[in-house]
Amino acid sequence: DRCVPNHCEHGGKCTQTWDSFKCTCDGTGYSGATCHNSIYELSCEAYKHLGKTSNYYWIDPDGSGALGPLKVYCNMTEDKVWTTVYHDLQMQTSVGGSSPEKLSVLQLNYSATMDQISAITSSAEYCEQFISYSCKMSRLLNTPEGNPYTWWVGKANEKHYYWGGSGPGIQKCACGIERNCTDPKYYCNCDADYKQWRKDSGMLSYKEHLPVSQVVVGDVDRPGSEAKVSVGPVRCQGDRNYWNAASFVTSSSYLHFSTFQGETSADISFYFKTSASDGVFLENLGNTDFIKLELKSAVEVSFSFDVGNGPVEIVVRSPNHLNDDQWHRVNAERNVKQASLQVDQLPVEIRKAPTEGHTRLELYSQLYVGAAGGQRGFLGCIRSLRMNGVTLDLEERAKVTPGVKPGCSGHCTSYGMYCANGGKCVEKYNGYSCDCSATAYDGPFCIKDVGAFFEEGMWLRYNFHSPGTSMKDLVSRTLLSSSDAEITVPDLNLNKEELSFSFSTTKSPCVLLYISSYTPDFMAVLVKPSGNLQIRYSLGGTKEPYNIDVDHRNVANGQPHTVNVTRSGRDIVLQLDHYPPTSYSLPPTSDIHFNSPKALFLGKVIEIGKIDQDIYKYNTPGFTGCLSRVQFNQIAPLKAALRPTNASSHVHIQGELVESNCGASPLTIPPMSAATDPWHLDSASADFPYNGQAIGDGVNRNSAIIGGVIAVVIFTILCTLVFLIRYMFRHKGTYHTNEAKGAESAESADAAIMNNDPNFTETIDESKKEWLI
């Protein structure tokens, strides 16, 4: 019986054939020949570094260990990853009356077992849980006898007599630590026993005691006593296992651990990065048995072992070099049925075990990570080394081992591509983070739009320098700086700009964005009365501003639209939404420098001095709608207004700015090629002008389209009328009938007619007249 003993793990169902067995892993959360491998990531940290955003995810905190997977909420913030486990106790739970002999016990039931939560807290760098006690004549901790009225029960079923904001061994609340309790004679606000509502709350952050499983309340049995208890979810940050790493700096360096216990089932996983072309990752020996993982060449990883049937080797060959100083993942597994090896996302290499022979891997030596037995060891970094679900503490062992250093560097080389929209990857000891300060976005990967809703008459001004700042100081701060050194010349004359934002509105005309200067120069983005977009430049050298009219789109339709404008010298590139970029050029007489920029306005222009007449008219009543991710070179005015940044002092707002993403415009439609874009002049079927040029008689393309639609509608109505008239009159006529005498006694109507009038045929022909229209 090949299913006795059952080699299928984690509840997998075993079925057998004549010479083998099969494990069905459906619904277990595991996969593989023996349902040994978890199909979920180990932690929220792992999901973040796959580029995932905040959401609910299944995690398996001990990998292929005894604990099953659980569902948690992963909150990916800018620099941290929070794992959150919820319970069923409602916030502000009222506690009923009790007697001194009978306490009120509030039980918390979590969405995970205590063992699963312990696995999370054990591997986390920091955990916390909020707890609050609102009271009215209900004492909390201190009593005349010194024993607390209320306490909470933690992970090991132990009672704890400290409250949120305090620590173990101190029978105090947060106000007792900070010395600001309502009554200084007590260490908790509630212990003053006032008739008015008081509250003691704070974070429990001693993770060895978490989570809170019970809250026991004792002092609510007196007349007038009331209490309410709130306990937040368990939140843990960081994953010491995921980033537990060691750097091997010499080819003879190694770390040693106790013998690997993997007799019938062994799984090994880790990340590595190296510039070397070969080296041993790890090895464990027995009398004749052994197990070894090795980088055999720049493109080959080898997994070899011997359980007494002779050496077996599995090799994965990569089409790309593995010594590229990027992170690569290795997963190796051996069980009584088969052995497998996978590198990154390459196809899994599998070798079936012989049907008869030895199955147990018997090892006796220590486990060596790195060089072993005089072989050339691994040069580079290994992290998150897990063997049968247990993470080896490489960092701690590396601290006392020559030739090996704890931790790794260079995480941005592998994960920096996740920092989007100009966000910069920042190297950290145990990972990386994305710096979004120079972008108009925020979030862990700089992909969250920062936007706001503008009511009618509201406006925002961003001053390029603070009040009282000299031009010299302005230049030194280089608020408008980019990689071009010409931008930071003393008079701050820009010869290039990059502007991008998205918006939605239903009102026209209006001013979306306006950049003023200490000279007559300006730049504006407007919505004309027709609902079309216009970009207006005035840089001097011409009598009238240079206008770019985008007449092929009505942008005042309430839908989000994206605008990107880039100018370098005379060359201007405009992209609206997903349409292909269009190039324009300033007139030859125009200046190419934007002289002394002063302020950027959103929604309305409130500026001293002469303003272009059209812009002045468009100021009334002002922009109503949403603006999002506004960025002019390195300046993000909306983000400066809605987030506390170094540039927040440069912002002045008229009205109430309400944060909203209603102006966000995600690119859900791929860019259209010129051949398929119906509005592009170069299309083979394009018989009409582009960019709103007149159509012969002066009617623009929008009018032509509307006229065509009206003509089709009128034609359809006429055809329908003709059909109805024909239908109504096809049976219309005048019939004169003389009923035949004796019809009552005739056998039939025909017989009555014939009896009455032998010439009945002629009578019908003369009396019946029909007109057909």
Side-chain angles (χ1 to χ4, degrees):
D1 190 343
R2 299 188 182 276
C3 286
V4 178
N6 183 7
H7 296 292
C8 302
E9 303 179 43
H10 303 108
K13 295 181 180 179
C14 179
T15 55
Q16 64 177 3
T17 62
W18 180 259
D19 59 355
S20 184
F21 68 93
K22 179 182 178 182
C23 293
T24 303
C25 310
D26 296 345
T28 65
Y30 295 85
S31 64
T34 60
C35 306
H36 183 73
N37 305 321
S38 177
I39 63 175
Y40 303 110
E41 294 297 328
L42 304 174
S43 65
C44 289
E45 191 85 22
Y47 280 108
K48 177 182 178 180
H49 292 89
L50 290 174
K52 304 294 185 181
T53 55
S54 298
N55 208 333
Y56 285 93
Y57 296 99
W58 285 90
I59 66 170
D60 193 350
D62 70 337
S64 58
L67 301 177
L70 70 150
K71 195 173 187 179
V72 299
Y73 185 77
C74 299
N75 185 17
M76 320 294 191
T77 64
E78 283 80 355
D79 58 344
K80 294 182 177 65
V81 181
W82 290 95
T83 303
T84 307
V85 184
Y86 293 92
H87 55 75
D88 61 352
L89 184 69
Q90 297 294 321
M91 299 296 282
Q92 294 290 313
T93 298
S94 296
V95 183
S98 66
S99 64
E101 293 77 27
K102 187 176 181 182
L103 303 171
S104 293
V105 179
L106 301 178
Q107 184 70 39
L108 284 76
N109 300 305
Y110 288 85
S111 59
T113 66
M114 286 295 123
D115 289 338
Q116 289 174 323
I117 299 175
S118 295
I120 294 173
T121 58
S122 298
S123 63
E125 295 178 357
Y126 169 81
C127 293
E128 66 181 20
Q129 190 167 16
F130 176 79
I131 190 167
S132 172
Y133 188 79
S134 298
C135 57
K136 186 163 71 170
M137 291 183 62
S138 178
R139 291 160 290 183
L140 180 58
L141 295 183
N142 294 340
T143 67
E145 296 79 20
N147 296 320
Y149 284 107
T150 297
W151 63 86
W152 59 276
V153 180
K155 177 169 61 177
N157 210 29
E158 296 178 347
K159 297 178 181 179
H160 298 288
Y161 304 122
Y162 65 96
W163 206 247
S166 182
I170 307 174
Q171 196 167 305
K172 294 181 179 181
C173 299
C175 70
I177 300 296
E178 299 168 2
R179 298 183 180 181
N180 59 0
C181 293
T182 303
D183 189 332
K185 293 185 297 184
Y186 298 98
Y187 298 118
C188 294
N189 291 317
C190 288
D191 289 333
D193 206 22
Y194 283 111
K195 294 182 180 180
Q196 297 81 22
W197 281 101
R198 295 288 186 268
K199 183 168 70 172
D200 288 296
S201 62
M203 288 293 181
L204 301 171
S205 57
Y206 194 71
K207 68 188 186 77
E208 285 73 13
H209 291 169
L210 299 178
V212 178
S213 59
Q214 284 182 351
V215 179
V216 182
V217 182
D219 189 25
V220 287
D221 59 317
R222 296 176 294 157
S225 295
E226 293 184 62
K228 295 180 181 180
V229 175
S230 295
V231 182
V234 182
R235 301 173 70 240
C236 290
Q237 178 264 319
D239 185 349
R240 295 187 298 183
N241 292 337
Y242 190 78
W243 294 108
N244 193 301
S247 301
F248 298 81
V249 296
T250 68
S251 59
S252 60
S253 305
Y254 65 88
L255 300 174
H256 60 86
F257 297 88
S258 58
T259 304
F260 175 47
Q261 304 297 322
E263 287 81 0
T264 59
S265 182
D267 74 274
I268 305 168
S269 65
F270 60 90
Y271 293 85
F272 77 91
K273 68 182 187 119
T274 183
S275 299
S277 58
D278 58 85
V280 175
F281 293 122
L282 59 89
E283 185 178 42
N284 206 154
L285 304 175
N287 288 336
T288 57
D289 294 4
F290 73 89
I291 187 168
K292 182 168 72 171
L293 275 159
E294 179 183 8
L295 181 66
K296 292 199 73 173
S297 72
V299 294
E300 292 179 317
V301 173
S302 164
F303 175 38
S304 57
F305 57 88
D306 188 346
V307 296
N309 303 314
V312 177
E313 183 180 30
I314 305 174
V315 177
V316 169
R317 292 176 175 83
S318 170
N320 304 310
H321 282 204
L322 300 172
N323 61 340
D324 56 356
D325 203 30
Q326 302 285 314
W327 285 111
H328 299 282
R329 188 175 187 181
V330 176
N331 285 282
E333 182 186 0
R334 191 209 73 84
N335 53 57
V336 297
K337 186 176 182 182
Q338 66 183 36
S340 64
L341 175 65
Q342 184 177 25
V343 178
D344 295 333
Q345 299 301 316
L346 296 173
V348 182
E349 290 290 334
I350 298 175
R351 183 73 56 85
K352 293 189 178 297
T355 55
E356 303 294 340
H358 299 283
T359 59
R360 298 181 68 85
L361 178 65
E362 298 179 354
L363 305 173
Y364 300 108
S365 75
Q366 289 183 314
L367 169 68
Y368 290 90
V369 180
Q375 303 175 81
R376 177 179 172 82
F378 173 74
L379 275 172
C381 195
I382 295 177
R383 70 172 173 87
S384 190
L385 173 57
R386 299 176 73 93
M387 304 188 71
N388 278 358
V390 178
T391 301
L392 300 189
D393 196 345
L394 301 177
E395 286 192 6
E396 195 64 31
R397 193 60 59 91
K399 292 177 183 178
V400 295
T401 305
V404 187
K405 295 181 179 180
C408 290
S409 61
H411 302 298
C412 283
T413 59
S414 295
Y415 300 112
M417 79 286 287
Y418 293 126
C419 298
N421 298 307
K424 293 183 179 179
C425 184
V426 179
E427 193 73 32
K428 298 174 67 179
Y429 174 74
N430 59 345
Y432 76 97
S433 64
C434 297
D435 180 9
C436 311
S437 59
T439 74
Y441 298 80
D442 63 5
F445 303 111
C446 307
I447 58 175
K448 181 182 177 183
D449 294 72
V450 178
F453 173 74
F454 283 68
E455 293 182 342
E456 186 177 291
M458 181 184 171
W459 51 272
L460 179 150
R461 182 181 71 231
Y462 182 98
N463 297 315
F464 290 147
H465 64 92
S466 300
T469 304
S470 66
M471 289 299 291
K472 183 177 181 181
D473 292 335
L474 176 58
V475 174
S476 66
R477 293 182 184 182
T478 60
L479 290 171
L480 305 176
S481 65
S482 74
S483 57
D484 190 341
E486 294 181 26
I487 292 180
T488 61
V489 295
D491 58 357
L492 229 131
N493 298 334
L494 304 180
N495 69 350
K496 62 164 56 175
E497 300 93 38
E498 293 182 8
L499 171 66
S500 63
F501 65 95
S502 59
F503 72 95
S504 63
T505 186
T506 57
K507 302 291 182 65
S508 62
C510 62
V511 178
L512 297 175
L513 180 144
Y514 180 88
I515 301 172
S516 66
S517 70
Y518 290 97
T519 67
D521 293 359
F522 71 85
M523 175 190 179
V525 183
L526 316 169
V527 177
K528 298 195 298 183
S530 60
N532 303 128
L533 190 74
Q534 183 182 77
I535 314 297
R536 182 170 293 197
Y537 264 103
S538 179
L539 301 182
T542 58
K543 293 183 179 180
E544 298 293 333
Y546 176 69
N547 298 330
I548 299 174
D549 293 310
V550 189
D551 289 340
H552 65 286
R553 291 280 287 169
N554 176 17
V555 295
N557 57 1
Q559 298 298 316
H561 297 282
T562 299
V563 178
N564 290 281
V565 181
T566 302
R567 181 185 74 91
S568 181
R570 298 189 191 283
D571 300 323
I572 301 173
V573 178
L574 167 65
Q575 183 172 23
L576 175 64
D577 296 336
H578 56 274
Y579 290 93
T582 308
S583 297
Y584 303 88
S585 184
L586 291 172
T589 58
S590 173
D591 189 5
I592 62 171
H593 293 286
F594 194 149
N595 296 308
S596 304
K598 179 181 178 183
L600 183 149
F601 291 88
L602 298 177
K604 206 169 186 180
V605 182
I606 308 297
E607 186 60 284
I608 300 172
K610 187 178 179 181
I611 301 177
D612 183 278
Q613 282 301 307
D614 282 345
I615 295 174
Y616 182 77
K617 288 188 294 185
Y618 292 2
N619 253 342
T620 305
F623 172 71
T624 302
C626 300
L627 286 168
S628 189
R629 64 171 187 81
V630 181
Q631 183 156 4
F632 176 71
N633 289 350
Q634 301 300 312
I635 293 172
L638 273 180
K639 187 175 179 181
L642 295 168
R643 302 284 187 271
T645 68
N646 295 333
S648 297
S649 61
H650 296 254
V651 178
H652 179 78
I653 300 171
Q654 178 66 38
E656 184 180 357
L657 190 68
V658 180
E659 184 168 356
S660 172
N661 64 352
C662 55
S665 180
L667 288 177
T668 56
I669 305 174
M672 301 173 67
S673 66
T676 59
D677 182 5
W679 301 117
H680 200 278
L681 182 60
D682 296 334
S683 298
S685 60
D687 298 325
F688 43 79
Y690 186 52
N691 282 342
Q693 296 173 9
I695 301 180
D697 59 354
V699 181
N700 64 23
R701 183 166 55 210
N702 284 343
S703 300
I705 293 173
I706 294 171
V709 171
I710 293 173
V712 170
V713 171
I714 293 173
F715 179 76
T716 304
I717 293 172
L718 289 174
C719 291
T720 305
L721 288 174
V722 170
F723 174 78
L724 289 174
I725 291 171
R726 289 194 54 168
Y727 182 79
M728 292 171 62
F729 285 93
R730 63 181 297 181
H731 295 299
K732 184 173 182 180
T734 303
Y735 294 87
H736 299 281
T737 61
N738 297 317
E739 185 175 86
K741 296 177 180 179
E744 296 83 353
S745 59
E747 295 181 358
S748 65
D750 292 341
I753 295 172
M754 294 175 66
N755 293 336
N756 186 63
D757 187 1
N759 302 319
F760 71 95
T761 304
E762 296 178 4
T763 304
I764 294 174
D765 290 339
E766 292 177 3
S767 62
K768 180 180 180 181
K769 297 180 181 180
E770 182 179 24
W771 291 268
L772 177 63
I773 298 177

